[in-house]
Amino acid sequence: MDHILVTGSLGQLGSELVPALQVKYGRIGVIATDNHPPAGDDYPGQFHLLDVLNKAAIQETIEKYQITQIYHLAAILSANAEKNPALAWRINMDGLLNVLEIAREAGISKVFWPSSIAVFGPDSPKTHTPQNTLMNPNTIYGITKVAGEKLCAYYNEKFDMDIRSLRYPGLVGYKSLPGGGTTDYAVEIYHQAARSGSFTCPLAENTALPMMYMPDAVRATLELMAADKKSLCVKTSYNLAGISFAPKEIYAAIVRHCPDFMIAYSPDFRQQIAASWPDSIDDSAAQKDWNGKWRTISKG
Ligand code: NAD
Ligand code: AKB
């Protein structure tokens, strides 16, 4: 029987991925962890406090729960990373190295680690950005994701491990709040429309970015992890595409339902980050290798 460890499980992605993993592996089979406790007393499943910078604690948790797969989600996202690059490097890189080393030593069969569209930079093609192209990010978050991809590929090849990864676009869902990224506005705008009727957007109105509906991202993750290893040719991380839109398009969609909703554009440091990322992504390698059909909800 598989026992799944999820790090950073209380974040935007973990809040929706853990319930999906529980459906597949049962509540007893999924150990959700984070470096702070869940809000409230009744976490729906097994929860364990775990800081990914504490290698001994990861090792103990893996032994205690006889873990066979790891979903390593703990990270500092792009906007927060720019505010504290040294901390972002430590959590994103040392945390990943700890997990990979322990997985190698413990013979863990599979590891999932998320990358991001942030691996691309100002000199990458802007539209339908291909799987393999120039990747020179100018954010610390993007640098940790490129380095993380290379580290995963190294462990895959050197130690014959099975580490799988997706370059998620900005994730948009209604069940969990984002945690310090550049694409967060695409979730926050809905909450502000409902709460206050107005929103100040940190990006310029025409800044198109690749985005994905959270249930599609969760499904893509489970499908990638279930795919036959022999068919997976990309050892770094797969491009993944949903939809692309700019702030003015979400605004227009919300105004159709809330005619009094107001928006002001006040681009801040996040505009520069967004401007360095693609408008849209080519994910044909993922479609070819594991036949993902994850875009039905985003496109529907
Ligand atoms: P998030 O910021 O919402 O959650 C990250 C979680 O990691 C938080 O709960 C935080 O408490 C935890 N964490 C931070 N430091 C830790 C530490 N030292 N030890 C243990 N836990 C720690 O982020 P998310 O949106 O859930 O992202 C999850 C993963 O997916 C990250 O690797 C992120 O880079 C990637 N990703 C997310 C998006 C997105 O739009 N949400 C897009 C691309 C990639
Ligand atoms: C962020 O904006 O930092 C994330 C991402 C695209 O990686 N949502």
Side-chain angles (χ1 to χ4, degrees), residues 37-43:
D41 293 334
D42 49 351
Y43 185 81

Side-chain angles (χ1 to χ4, degrees), residues 7-15 33-36 50-53 72-77 80 91-92 113-117 141 145 166-172 177-180 183-184 214:
T7 71
S9 71
L10 298 178
Q12 187 195 12
L13 176 59
S15 302
T33 71
D34 209 300
N35 66 349
H36 61 91
L50 183 63
D51 183 336
V52 296
L53 295 180
H72 174 46
L73 311 184
I76 303 290
L77 273 71
N80 281 349
I91 291 177
N92 295 6
W113 172 77
S115 184
S116 162
I117 53 161
Y141 175 67
K145 290 298 184 187
L166 294 170
R167 291 174 183 156
Y168 291 125
L171 303 179
V172 182
L177 290 171
T183 59
D184 293 13
M214 184 64 88

Side-chain angles (χ1 to χ4, degrees), residues 202-231:
L203 303 186
E205 61 179 340
N206 287 318
T207 311
L209 286 171
M211 301 279 186
M212 178 170 266
Y213 187 43
M214 184 64 88
D216 289 350
V218 168
R219 189 154 42 89
T221 307
L222 298 184
E223 286 177 8
L224 172 70
M225 290 301 273
D228 183 353
K229 186 181 175 190
K230 290 198 284 295
S231 69

Side-chain angles (χ1 to χ4, degrees), residues 236-249:
T236 49
S237 184
Y238 279 98
N239 274 9
L240 185 67
I243 51 176
S244 290
F245 53 77
K248 69 176 184 187
E249 293 171 272

